[in-house]
Amino acid sequence: MEEAFDVDLTNDPRERGDAMLADLDHIRDTDPVHYSEASRCWFITRHADVVDAFQRRLPLTNEGRMFPIFHLIPPEEWDARIPALVKYSDLWVTSSEGERHARLRSLLMKALNRKIVESLRPYARQRAELLVDKMCAEGELEFNEGISRAMTGDVLFKLLGMPEENLADLRDWATWLMEGVGATVPTAERLEKSDLALRLMNEVVARELEKRRTNPQDDLITGLLNASEGDDKLSFDEILAQMHVAIVAGHDTTMNTLTLSVAALARDPEAWAWVEQNQDKMLDIVTELQRHIGMVGGQPRLVEEDFELGGKTIRKGDLVAVLIAAANRDPAVFAPPDKLDFTRDNRNSMVFAPGVHFCLGHHLAKMQLTEFLGALVRKVKRIEVLDDELDFLPVWVFRGVYQMKVRVTPR
């Protein structure tokens, strides 16, 4: 008997790489509301259903969504093995709903808004020019860590007010955290590494918070410390938790997008030529690249009450993978989905999860991507990816690679 087609969201992101996107397409087209035995969760894949999930028209919640994967370690061992992960994951703005989410989001927006992000644009532009010049000078180099993380991590640390000496720690913090919480069935070792990442970040952020109490700066750490509505302020632990989200999601997602976007452009001469000829449309270019590369695989949600979808009964307590990558390749909305089309109407893109949880860092991401890709196309005639196959992270939520070697030909 032929084995039923499935996708393992813990291992396939690395083993299948970009081919996993086609696998999810197959599931969307043949079994759009799919229970994955390998991933131990439901897949929601059609664009219309993903919209309903993010618009709260389905009984799904962020609260408690991490706890099913924590149970891979016996709960009686949590205090000894993953105490920080259990405590702080529940305080993240991305793990909250209702009044608690509205409160955290409102306070965070006081410290991170479009005006603050735009004030960083000259710095980001300068950084992009410097890194592209480095690429041109070296000719062949590793892009993901040497350029992409150097760009996004440096800009983020400037925004946050984090000390530059900790830039070197970003790779471990982000990789360890995402390898644990970004898998549906992570190993106990990965969960313990995620816990370590949080504890290491806490040490650095706590030191910086103490400095800001006596010496405020024009940065996000000071903003979070001062963010208030009346007498309501973020607690110390709430600040630490939001800094985890800012440090990791605030640079890792943009880094992954930048690397995979450069790979897509390098492998599509027609698309590269269009970008060369339409440099004034950089925001449209970035928006289509974000859809096309499928860096945002999706988001996990927990089921609050039984409901029916696509003829299937999904039970309270089940875990659901809301698969943004599959929705953004749904031919009912984005035809043809495989083609890079920079004139495409992307108002229905799910990249930033439209709804009450719309990504807080979308301005920061688009600002950095437009500045870097703008500098790249002005200074580089051709870029080639030298790896036969990219080595992807074993993470489905935000897809990325460990490294990418490139060769550039300057103009």
Side-chain angles (χ1 to χ4, degrees):
M1 182 177 176
E2 186 178 346
E3 187 175 347
F5 189 84
D6 202 1
V7 171
D8 176 358
L9 291 180
T10 295
N11 298 303
D12 282 356
R14 187 171 194 189
E15 293 176 3
R16 296 285 289 153
D18 274 334
M20 191 187 76
L21 297 178
D23 295 342
L24 293 176
D25 289 345
H26 178 73
I27 286 177
R28 183 197 60 237
D29 297 340
T30 59
D31 187 21
V33 182
H34 169 82
Y35 185 76
S36 169
E37 296 288 348
S39 301
R40 303 185 196 176
C41 68
W42 289 93
F43 291 177
I44 293 178
T45 56
R46 287 180 299 206
H47 186 273
D49 294 336
V50 169
V51 170
D52 283 348
F54 285 120
Q55 296 294 347
R56 299 304 305 273
R57 291 191 282 267
L58 301 177
L60 304 175
T61 181
N62 272 323
E63 288 186 340
R65 66 179 185 171
M66 293 290 110
F67 290 100
I69 69 169
F70 294 166
H71 278 82
L72 295 164
I73 293 176
E76 61 269 20
E77 297 178 16
W78 287 359
D79 285 347
R81 299 176 67 179
I82 53 170
L85 193 56
V86 172
K87 176 180 180 178
Y88 290 100
S89 65
D90 194 47
L91 296 176
W92 294 337
V93 65
T94 51
S95 299
S96 62
E97 293 288 1
E99 290 183 7
R100 187 165 75 107
H101 173 259
R103 170 183 171 267
L104 287 173
R105 190 176 182 92
S106 176
L107 291 171
L108 282 168
M109 284 306 298
K110 292 179 181 295
L112 177 64
N113 56 48
R114 187 169 190 167
K115 182 179 178 182
I116 290 171
V117 169
E118 282 300 316
S119 72
L120 274 174
R121 187 179 289 275
Y123 180 80
R125 181 172 299 158
Q126 180 185 43
R127 187 71 176 147
E129 298 275 348
L130 179 70
L131 288 169
V132 174
D133 286 343
K134 176 184 177 182
M135 293 173 67
C136 292
E138 294 188 18
E140 291 187 12
L141 73 162
E142 196 287 314
F143 181 86
N144 190 62
E145 296 296 329
I147 301 297
S148 196
R149 197 186 297 277
M151 171 74 188
T152 59
D154 191 69
V155 172
L156 179 74
F157 268 35
K158 182 79 170 176
L159 171 69
L160 298 182
M162 291 283 284
E164 289 184 9
E165 59 263 29
N166 290 112
L167 274 168
D169 300 319
L170 267 180
R171 176 175 184 167
D172 286 345
W173 291 347
T175 302
W176 294 347
L177 185 62
M178 291 311 301
E179 284 180 346
V181 302
T184 55
V185 192
T187 63
E189 181 184 10
R190 286 188 190 176
L191 290 173
E192 289 171 333
K193 274 294 197 61
S194 293
D195 188 85
L196 175 59
L198 296 188
R199 287 186 279 117
L200 292 172
M201 281 188 275
N202 283 351
E203 291 176 7
V204 176
V205 174
R207 285 198 300 269
E208 294 305 308
L209 281 168
E210 190 58 36
K211 293 177 186 175
R212 296 312 187 283
R213 293 183 197 281
T214 55
N215 185 25
Q217 301 291 319
D218 186 17
D219 56 36
L220 187 67
I221 293 178
T222 302
L224 290 176
L225 198 58
N226 294 335
S228 63
E229 290 186 356
D231 294 329
D232 185 22
K233 284 195 172 188
L234 292 168
S235 71
F236 178 72
D237 282 332
E238 285 176 329
I239 293 175
L240 292 181
Q242 307 333 309
M243 285 294 290
H244 302 154
V245 176
I247 290 170
V248 175
H251 93 281
D252 210 52
T253 54
T254 310
M255 177 193 78
N256 295 339
T257 300
L258 183 53
T259 298
L260 296 179
S261 293
V262 167
L265 289 172
R267 291 167 174 167
D268 190 335
E270 183 181 339
W272 178 260
W274 198 97
V275 174
E276 285 182 310
Q277 295 159 19
N278 295 273
Q279 296 182 39
D280 60 326
K281 296 181 173 61
M282 198 54 67
L283 186 57
D284 292 336
I285 291 164
V286 164
T287 304
E288 170 65 355
L289 283 166
Q290 288 173 317
R291 181 206 66 83
H292 175 80
I293 62 174
M295 187 286 295
V296 183
Q299 292 290 320
R301 293 288 188 271
L302 206 58
V303 180
E304 290 186 295
E305 59 185 58
D306 295 359
F307 70 100
E308 300 282 331
L309 185 66
K312 309 285 181 69
T313 300
I314 302 178
R315 301 291 184 188
K316 180 179 179 179
D318 286 352
L319 191 66
V320 172
V322 184
L323 289 162
I324 291 171
N328 276 345
R329 292 163 59 88
D330 188 337
V333 181
F334 304 102
D338 283 329
K339 180 177 174 57
L340 267 173
D341 179 1
F342 298 118
T343 66
R344 189 191 302 275
D345 181 352
N346 274 307
R347 284 177 294 181
N348 290 317
S349 172
M350 293 285 105
V351 166
F352 293 113
V356 296
H357 288 278
F358 189 73
C359 176
L360 283 164
H362 68 105
H363 290 310
L364 181 64
K366 288 181 282 193
M367 183 271 285
Q368 292 185 82
L369 291 165
T370 53
E371 290 300 331
F372 186 90
L373 292 175
L376 184 72
V377 75
R378 287 194 301 272
K379 293 173 178 281
V380 170
K381 182 178 181 181
R382 184 185 181 202
I383 186 163
E384 305 163 76
V385 175
L386 301 181
D387 303 275
D388 292 332
E389 291 186 6
L390 295 177
D391 185 9
F392 278 79
L393 293 161
V395 175
W396 71 276
V397 177
F398 301 127
R399 300 172 59 249
V401 300
Y402 285 103
Q403 65 174 23
M404 184 174 79
K405 297 174 185 175
V406 300
R407 178 189 296 126
V408 298
T409 303
R411 291 196 182 281

